[in-house]
Amino acid sequence: MAALFAPRRGAGAAGRRWLVLLVPPLLVLLLARPAGALVEGLYCGTRDCYEVLGVSRSAGKAEIARAYRQLARRYHPDRYRPEPGDDGPGRTPQSAEEAFLLVATAYETLKDEETRKDYDYMLDHPEEYYSHYYHYYSRRLAPKVDVRVVILVSVCAISVFQFFSWWNSYNKAISYLATVPKYRIQATEIAKQQGLLKKAKEKGKNKKSKEEIRDEEENIIKNIIKSKIDIKGGYQKPQICDLLLFQIILAPFHLCSYIVWYCRWIYNFNIKGKEYGEEERLYIIRKSMKMSKSQFDSLEDHQKETFLKRELWIKEKYEVYKQEQEEELKKKLASDPRWKRYRRWMKNEGPGRLTFVDD
């Protein structure tokens, strides 16, 4: 019995080996796409675009355009009239519309050099099915406007918005300083010394009302404040070079400048061991305080002088100064009545309790 079944087991093993060898080619045949160049969904579908227009593959742009105009006039749905014995693609108004769309598609395919090159390549290499699909839809779905133009317009729009926003902030700062007695009195004295207020009150041929004189005096005071006071920080006078557009243009220059500055810093202070100057000391202090340049520039001069006197560019002395500031802040909060009420509320009520207040 065993001898009878032995050959069958050998035959089964050989059959399985043949099956394993045949499976990959069968899968390739099943998954492979048809090798025909004209595929539904690409360009003119199963029709040849050259045959649709009635031209050869060597036809020039003028010949293609002339054939398109003739066929477009013939199959246009609004002008189509079936001719006797017409056995072309447009025998009825519905088929004439389909023929007109097909002619238009063929012309759109062949009038552009790049699209025509892709189409000719598809005709010559029908086996690259997925590549043809990619090129076709990548051209159809590509944005009509250059991305670089969109980026440039966006950057320009942001820069314009920045400019007007900064000017608005600057004018608000000037208007506020004009209401501060300290600066207003000084600006008024300067205006009197220069005789600007007398000119505003002079009556010429056109008499000025009190409101006009008041507005003119206010503008004179604001102009003096603009010329005499250097506003720093977020309310400083806007400059063209600070806009995003110019920052992008000057980015390579700033990068090279930073690399040169960093190399000089390493060479002078790390290698040669030179002492820090005032500018370098303030830079180290600003980095230790984690402040931006605009924030640090907005500080008063006497504050910067205090930093230099206490030698805060030295790490140990800065840690002592930082601890002192924290202790001073705690004392201020401890003596602040609002902070006391807040701590009392957190202790008695807390944010997680709901209570009904009678008053």
Side-chain angles (χ1 to χ4, degrees):
M1 185 69 69
L4 290 174
F5 280 99
R8 294 183 181 179
R9 284 198 297 268
R16 284 194 297 271
R17 284 197 298 270
W18 278 104
L19 183 61
V20 170
L21 294 174
L22 288 174
V23 165
L26 289 173
L27 290 175
V28 171
L29 290 174
L30 289 173
L31 296 177
R33 304 297 303 183
L38 304 177
V39 182
E40 192 67 40
L42 295 182
Y43 303 105
C44 298
T46 55
R47 297 287 304 277
D48 189 334
C49 293
Y50 291 101
E51 293 181 358
V52 171
L53 295 180
V55 296
S56 63
R57 289 186 61 174
S58 60
K61 286 186 177 181
E63 185 178 353
I64 291 173
R66 185 166 56 253
Y68 165 70
R69 286 194 294 269
Q70 292 175 358
L71 293 173
R73 285 194 296 267
R74 179 179 179 184
Y75 293 115
H76 195 282
D78 297 335
R79 303 174 59 182
Y80 176 72
R81 296 293 182 272
E83 299 176 1
D86 187 5
D87 54 352
R91 299 176 181 176
T92 62
Q94 292 79 11
S95 61
E97 183 177 357
E98 295 176 0
F100 178 78
L101 294 176
L102 183 61
V103 168
T105 303
Y107 177 66
E108 291 292 329
T109 302
L110 300 180
K111 75 173 183 177
D112 183 67
E113 290 291 339
E114 297 297 327
T115 308
R116 183 177 179 180
K117 188 184 296 183
D118 291 342
Y119 184 70
D120 291 341
Y121 185 83
M122 185 186 75
L123 295 178
D124 297 333
H125 302 83
E127 69 279 359
E128 300 180 15
Y129 177 81
Y130 295 104
S131 176
H132 303 323
Y133 250 101
Y134 169 76
H135 287 292
Y136 175 74
Y137 284 104
S138 63
R139 291 192 182 280
R140 289 198 61 183
L141 302 178
K144 302 300 181 183
V145 182
D146 194 348
V147 178
R148 292 171 294 183
V149 176
V150 176
I151 294 174
L152 179 61
V153 172
S154 302
V155 170
C156 292
I158 294 172
S159 300
V160 171
F161 175 78
Q162 279 183 327
F163 185 75
F164 285 105
S165 176
W166 287 348
W167 263 113
N168 186 33
S169 300
Y170 177 70
N171 290 329
K172 285 183 178 179
I174 295 297
S175 299
Y176 169 74
L177 292 176
T179 61
V180 177
K182 174 183 175 181
Y183 302 110
R184 188 175 185 85
I185 292 172
Q186 293 180 5
T188 305
E189 291 296 328
I190 294 173
K192 288 180 180 179
Q193 292 175 4
Q194 297 178 356
L196 298 176
L197 296 180
K198 291 182 180 179
K199 294 180 180 179
K201 294 180 180 179
E202 288 179 356
K203 295 181 180 180
K205 296 181 180 179
N206 299 324
K207 294 183 178 180
K208 300 179 182 179
S209 63
K210 292 183 179 180
E211 293 182 357
E212 291 176 348
I213 295 173
R214 192 182 303 111
D215 293 340
E216 192 170 347
E217 290 178 352
E218 191 70 19
N219 292 330
I220 291 171
I221 292 173
K222 288 182 179 179
N223 290 331
I224 293 174
I225 292 175
K226 287 180 181 180
S227 60
K228 298 296 182 181
I229 295 181
D230 183 19
I231 302 176
K232 298 179 180 179
Y235 294 93
Q236 65 183 359
K237 189 175 182 179
Q239 298 179 357
I240 298 295
C241 59
D242 293 332
L243 298 178
L244 177 61
L245 177 61
F246 290 90
Q247 288 293 316
I248 293 175
I249 295 174
L250 298 174
F253 172 75
H254 291 315
L255 180 61
C256 295
S257 301
Y258 175 77
I259 293 173
V260 172
W261 173 86
Y262 186 75
C263 293
R264 286 180 178 177
W265 183 284
I266 296 296
Y267 176 74
N268 291 328
F269 304 114
N270 292 2
I271 298 176
K272 296 185 68 175
K274 287 185 177 180
E275 291 187 2
Y276 295 124
E278 182 177 338
E279 185 178 351
E280 288 79 14
R281 292 172 181 177
L282 290 174
Y283 173 77
I284 296 174
I285 294 171
R286 178 170 67 85
K287 288 298 181 181
S288 300
M289 292 182 173
K290 298 179 180 179
M291 299 175 67
S292 65
K293 191 176 185 304
S294 60
Q295 290 175 334
F296 194 78
D297 291 341
S298 62
L299 297 177
E300 299 291 340
D301 293 336
H302 66 86
Q303 291 179 295
K304 299 178 182 178
E305 292 176 0
T306 304
F307 297 157
L308 294 173
K309 287 179 181 179
R310 298 198 58 174
E311 299 180 350
L312 297 186
W313 66 88
I314 302 174
K315 186 176 181 180
E316 292 76 11
K317 294 186 178 182
Y318 175 75
E319 293 296 333
V320 174
Y321 171 80
K322 183 179 178 181
Q323 190 173 0
E324 290 177 359
Q325 293 296 314
E326 291 176 355
E327 293 294 333
E328 186 177 351
L329 180 61
K330 289 180 181 178
K331 290 179 182 180
K332 287 182 179 180
L333 291 176
S335 59
D336 189 358
R338 290 178 297 179
W339 176 247
K340 289 181 179 179
R341 288 198 298 270
Y342 174 74
R343 286 190 303 171
R344 191 162 49 247
W345 176 77
M346 288 293 292
K347 182 179 179 181
N348 298 330
E349 306 294 338
R353 292 185 56 186
L354 295 175
T355 57
F356 290 93
V357 181
D358 295 334
D359 56 355

